[in-house]
Amino acid sequence: MNFLAHIYLSFNDKEITIGNFIADSIRGNKFDHLPKKVQKGIKLHRFIDTYTDTHEIPKISSKRLHANYSHYSRVIVDIYYDHYLAKNWSKYSDIPLDVFVDSFYDLLEDNYEILPDGVRRMMPYMITDNWIYNYSKMEGIARVLNGMNRRTKNKSKMNFAILDLEEHYDAFEEEFTEFFEQLIAFSKEKFISLLEKK
């Protein structure tokens, strides 16, 4: 899953949210210098990723893209799924999306000193262009896909994946909706289990 899903699946726990968000920038087990609950957020992120990578529904979404995007198709599906979460946000949260996202940006700024260098470099761009809120709009997703394509030096052709999203919009949304209900239940169980551990 992509940024918004990981933040949402931290269940409004600030330290878990930080860990869940920064996990992709942490190599292996090099996080014992971080506060204990932030470490648990990193572990939660990894549980979520493993569950997502092995679940049949995201595989179905990914297969639809594989001919055009090969191994990048899973990354594209993560971005699509964040779009559907943002677009249908009121089904999942009583907090308006703009308020939720602004609160998250404040959280990052308040915890700047523990953020990995890669996250610190990304933050100004993410906040200035309001990446996470703009996942709710097709033009926001198009910008993300263009940016990802640039990062792969145009090898991935991910900039064209906005066309696949438009063509199969309803099918991807149905897959997201079914999968995300299951992912919420799984993540809540892992979240509770991690908090219970010393």
Side-chain angles (χ1 to χ4, degrees):
M1 301 302 288
N2 208 44
F3 294 146
L4 180 59
H6 279 290
I7 298 162
Y8 174 78
L9 294 169
S10 299
F11 304 103
N12 297 313
D13 184 296
K14 290 182 178 181
E15 289 179 290
I16 296 286
T17 300
I18 291 289
N20 206 340
F21 179 72
I22 68 173
D24 282 335
S25 299
I26 304 286
R27 292 186 179 276
N29 294 318
K30 295 180 179 174
F31 52 80
D32 58 2
H33 62 289
L34 294 168
K36 290 288 183 197
K37 276 179 83 177
V38 174
Q39 294 182 38
K40 290 180 180 186
I42 292 168
K43 291 174 183 174
L44 178 59
H45 179 109
R46 292 176 179 178
F47 282 128
I48 290 167
D49 279 359
T50 300
Y51 181 83
T52 303
D53 288 346
T54 55
H55 197 287
E56 284 307 308
I57 295 174
K59 285 181 184 174
I60 292 167
S61 296
S62 178
K63 194 172 181 183
R64 195 177 290 117
L65 299 168
H66 201 268
N68 290 333
Y69 307 102
S70 186
H71 60 281
Y72 295 108
S73 56
R74 294 305 291 266
V75 178
I76 295 167
V77 169
D78 284 347
I79 294 166
Y80 287 178
Y81 280 13
D82 252 18
H83 165 66
Y84 292 115
L85 175 56
K87 176 200 158 203
N88 298 300
W89 183 254
S90 61
K91 290 183 185 176
Y92 301 102
S93 177
D94 294 330
I95 304 167
L97 181 60
D98 59 339
V99 175
F100 182 88
V101 171
D102 285 346
S103 174
F104 170 68
Y105 294 153
D106 289 343
L107 180 66
L108 286 186
E109 289 172 340
D110 290 344
N111 290 273
Y112 187 82
E113 70 284 352
I114 66 169
L115 300 178
D117 289 343
V119 175
R120 290 181 182 183
R121 285 193 296 271
M122 175 180 69
M123 260 178 67
Y125 304 102
M126 180 173 65
I127 294 171
T128 300
D129 294 333
N130 205 358
W131 291 357
I132 297 174
Y133 179 78
N134 285 322
Y135 287 157
S136 62
K137 306 169 187 173
M138 290 295 277
E139 56 267 32
I141 295 299
R143 274 198 300 274
V144 171
L145 292 166
N146 278 320
M148 296 294 283
N149 183 56
R150 282 195 304 275
R151 282 172 60 185
T152 66
K153 298 183 176 153
N154 300 319
K155 289 178 192 165
S156 68
K157 308 299 181 193
M158 286 168 72
N159 52 310
F160 293 110
I162 194 68
L163 302 176
D164 300 82
L165 179 59
E166 290 168 350
E167 183 178 353
H168 304 288
Y169 195 86
D170 292 342
F172 282 122
E173 185 163 20
E174 284 170 19
E175 287 153 10
F176 161 78
T177 302
E178 184 180 351
F179 169 66
F180 200 63
E181 289 299 331
Q182 296 175 48
L183 181 60
I184 292 169
F186 168 83
S187 302
K188 187 72 172 178
E189 185 181 310
K190 288 295 180 186
F191 172 81
I192 291 167
S193 169
L194 284 164
L195 289 187
E196 286 172 348
K197 289 180 182 171
K198 300 266 179 167

